[in-house]
Amino acid sequence: MSEQQSGDARSAARPEFHPRKNGAYQSVSEELSAWMRTGWADTERRDLDPCEQAPYAAKRRAVLSARFPGERLIIPSGRLKTRSNDTEYPFRAACDYVYLTGDTSEGGVLVLEPRAGHGHEALAYLTPRSSRSNGEFWLSGHGELWSGRRDSLEEAAQLLSVHTRDVRELSDWLRQAPRIPTRVVRGHDAGVEAVLAELREDAETAAQADAQLAVTLHDQRLIKDEWEIGQLREAVAATVRGFHDVVRALPEAVATSERYVEGTFFRRARVDGNDVGYGTIAAAGPNATTLHWQRNDGPIRPGELLLLDAGVETSTLYTADVTRTLPISGRFTADQRRVYELVYAAQEAGIAAVAPGNPVRAYHEASQRVLAEGLVEWGLLEGPVERVLELGLQRRYTLHGTGHMLGLDVHDCAEARTDNYRDGYLAAGMALTVEPGLYFQPDDLTVPEELRGIGVRIEDDVVVTPEGNIVLSADLPRTADDVERWMAELLP
Ligand code: GLY
Ligand code: MN
Ligand code: MN
């Protein structure tokens, strides 16, 4: 259905509201217009409790506030993006905004305004409810009649425990507000950035200041609070259910394509969460050797492997990131098992190296060593192993790093300082993946023929604890034997 279909072109009336995005007017009679203004119940919700995340978001804002005394900090949620013509991509709020507010609505902007004494006041500029008195409610494509009821500003203030204002006043407010050092998280709201470009004189200094804000936020997000860990647990639990769904659906998938696997997992993501946290990789047979295989349009053949890399994103936008490589018929062949067990051994070594105080790189190096040793033993690489590792020769078959931080983004905290992340040390509260793999391209003549076209990755989500680590996805079978047992239970 398009907006235009609701207009009554035969009405004798004059245009009452602004043109639509595509320039077509919608005409309404005065009688209809007057009638649409009246007869609506008061649905305002009063005395709402703050959302569960509100006290955690307040603490996160306090930590950020202490880093930038006296400065105005602007963190937008983002805007809808056009997909084609008048259709838009599903909205997904920007992570830093969600982290600092707990809000996931579109078009919001958090302003942390420095207080006279110390600290900051949090002002959430939000899209208010649609007015029923000027046609906005039912004639505008973004009116509530079309896109659903929003929280009123008063409701949002109670739910988020912050002051709220109408986002349509933000540009004027920024222009009139005292000129003080201001930073914005870029890339989400071109309108806000344009206003700031008018107000900030030195573009280069502004760019540096903004980059510093982004880095600081990603540094801060490296350590998850207990509420975030709880959300990751929920994301992983839903993901585990999604993998069960996929195994049960394998017979139908064999009759159709990888899309059936993708769709089966997606249903779980939509029912138990918000969405998938990234494009599902449902890669059967040799497609598993393509790291970001997301076309998912290949066949599922008995006897081959299915590499499924998928994660449910919770309604609060935390995501899991889990991979299992499954024998489609339920049993590994000897060659598949050989590859699988080497990857499993590498993952075990990686997980064992996840502990507070260890270099972040340690678990990658532990996994790579096991893989390199195996590849030398199999004669694919010429030893000694130290030489292989020094030259990185194993990477022809291991291809990618052994993991990354996990949280609101699947590749979380990507802008954190190198010293705190890639060259840093693990600390309790970090959440990350451990995901070694081996990939033998179908046309790789350096590989024995029987291994060509085999791709295996095993990926689990791990939280660093004061004692060591917890594997959040431990409920999903991991050894070759356990995978076969699990599949035998679920397959008809
Ligand atoms: N699913 C993307 C990754 O494993 O990093
Ligand atoms: Mn991953
Ligand atoms: Mn993954």
Side-chain angles (χ1 to χ4, degrees):
M1 187 172 59
S2 74
E3 291 163 37
Q4 285 71 35
Q5 285 169 335
S6 74
D8 182 357
R10 291 158 303 177
S11 142
R14 57 191 164 69
E16 191 224 29
F17 202 58
H18 55 73
R20 326 224 126 290
K21 203 159 133 194
N22 65 6
Y25 274 89
Q26 181 156 345
S27 303
V28 293
S29 68
E30 279 180 32
E31 288 78 1
L32 176 58
S33 174
W35 194 32
M36 288 299 285
R37 288 191 177 98
T38 62
W40 305 107
D42 175 6
T43 62
E44 181 74 9
R45 296 172 299 158
R46 297 174 178 86
D47 302 323
L48 294 172
D49 289 329
C51 69
E52 220 179 81
Q53 199 177 1
Y56 294 95
K59 277 189 210 149
R60 299 170 199 154
R61 291 193 298 272
V63 171
L64 186 67
S65 163
R67 300 295 306 273
F68 297 103
E71 298 193 36
R72 179 177 298 138
L73 307 177
I74 301 179
I75 302 101
S77 159
R79 303 252 161 204
L80 283 168
K81 289 187 179 62
T82 299
R83 181 175 186 271
S84 180
N85 186 27
D86 60 353
T87 60
E88 282 133 351
Y89 288 103
F91 179 73
R92 202 285 194 177
C95 296
D96 293 322
Y97 175 85
V98 175
Y99 178 72
L100 294 171
T101 61
D103 182 38
T104 57
S105 66
E106 90 201 36
V109 181
L110 173 69
V111 177
L112 294 180
E113 184 67 6
R115 287 204 197 93
H118 73 286
H120 289 75
E121 183 172 22
L123 306 168
Y125 281 83
L126 302 172
T127 310
R129 299 209 52 208
S130 299
S131 167
R132 310 260 170 147
S133 59
N134 66 0
E136 178 192 342
F137 162 66
W138 65 294
L139 289 174
S140 157
H142 296 297
E144 285 182 299
L145 186 132
W146 288 93
S147 24
R149 188 191 189 282
R150 291 186 280 270
D151 293 331
S152 71
L153 294 183
E154 294 73 23
E155 289 169 343
Q158 293 171 67
L159 291 167
L160 306 176
S161 297
V162 295
H163 299 290
T164 55
R165 292 182 180 172
D166 186 338
V167 73
R168 293 170 301 192
E169 295 164 6
L170 177 59
S171 298
D172 287 346
W173 181 81
L174 284 172
R175 290 190 181 99
Q176 289 157 17
R179 297 290 172 95
I180 57 172
T182 298
R183 301 176 194 251
V184 64
V185 175
R186 294 191 183 196
H188 304 291
D189 196 318
V192 170
E193 288 181 35
V195 174
L196 291 177
E198 286 169 27
L199 301 175
R200 298 193 292 182
E201 275 149 27
D202 182 349
E204 202 171 310
T205 309
Q208 282 169 7
D210 294 348
Q212 216 178 6
L213 173 61
V215 166
T216 303
L217 271 161
H218 282 220
D219 278 348
Q220 191 178 328
R221 282 170 44 197
L222 280 167
I223 307 286
K224 272 65 184 172
D225 59 39
E226 58 176 344
W227 186 86
E228 293 184 285
I229 302 289
Q231 294 306 297
L232 286 170
R233 280 186 185 282
E234 284 187 19
V236 170
T239 298
V240 169
R241 292 193 287 277
F243 275 75
H244 285 288
D245 295 343
V246 166
V247 171
R248 279 192 211 95
L250 270 180
E252 290 100 316
V254 167
T256 52
S257 80
E258 295 163 340
R259 293 272 165 102
Y260 202 94
V261 170
E262 179 188 335
T264 301
F265 189 84
F266 183 61
R267 179 174 60 185
R268 177 61 68 178
R270 291 294 282 169
V271 170
D272 283 7
N274 175 57
D275 205 333
V276 286
Y278 53 91
T280 294
I281 297 168
N287 292 339
T289 65
T290 301
L291 290 182
H292 285 172
W293 179 258
Q294 289 182 24
R295 284 182 235 156
N296 300 343
D297 58 357
I300 306 243
R301 297 189 196 92
E304 293 187 333
L305 294 175
L306 168 68
L307 185 157
L308 175 61
D309 182 343
V312 172
E313 177 186 77
T314 60
S315 54
T316 55
L317 309 188
Y318 285 79
T319 190
D321 180 11
V322 173
T323 305
R324 286 294 180 270
T325 307
L326 309 170
I328 291 162
S329 307
R331 300 291 297 268
F332 291 99
T333 65
D335 290 323
Q336 291 166 351
R337 181 178 270 266
R338 179 153 69 106
V339 179
Y340 190 95
E341 289 187 335
L342 180 53
V343 174
Y344 174 77
Q347 200 202 21
E348 282 286 275
I351 292 172
V354 175
N358 283 359
V360 172
R361 284 182 194 282
Y363 79 92
H364 169 67
E365 286 167 2
S367 282
Q368 290 288 304
R369 175 171 290 278
V370 171
L371 293 172
E373 285 168 355
L375 291 165
V376 168
E377 198 183 309
W378 293 353
L380 267 80
L381 295 172
E382 193 186 321
V385 170
E386 292 311 327
R387 174 182 163 272
V388 168
L389 288 169
E390 200 179 315
L391 300 176
L393 301 179
Q394 79 285 0
R395 290 173 57 188
R396 180 173 177 120
Y397 312 115
T398 67
L399 299 185
H400 55 77
T402 307
H404 50 82
M405 297 296 164
L406 184 71
L408 282 161
D409 272 314
V410 60
H411 298 157
D412 211 37
C413 310
E415 292 181 61
R417 282 179 185 80
T418 307
D419 284 351
N420 292 334
Y421 186 177
R422 308 270 166 214
D423 294 341
Y425 293 85
L426 295 175
M430 288 181 172
L432 49 87
T433 66
V434 182
E435 50 173 309
L438 276 177
Y439 310 89
F440 300 120
Q441 305 302 319
D443 58 349
D444 189 340
L445 301 179
T446 70
V447 173
E449 212 170 329
E450 66 275 13
L451 296 185
R452 289 181 204 158
I454 292 182
V456 172
R457 175 162 66 256
I458 312 174
E459 176 171 28
D460 282 271
D461 300 343
V462 181
V463 171
V464 184
T465 62
E467 298 77 32
N469 70 62
I470 296 174
V471 180
L472 298 182
S473 39
D475 283 349
L476 211 51
R478 222 157 39 87
T479 67
D481 286 343
D482 286 347
V483 166
E484 286 183 350
R485 260 193 294 276
W486 167 55
M487 293 184 72
E489 279 167 23
L490 294 186
L491 285 172

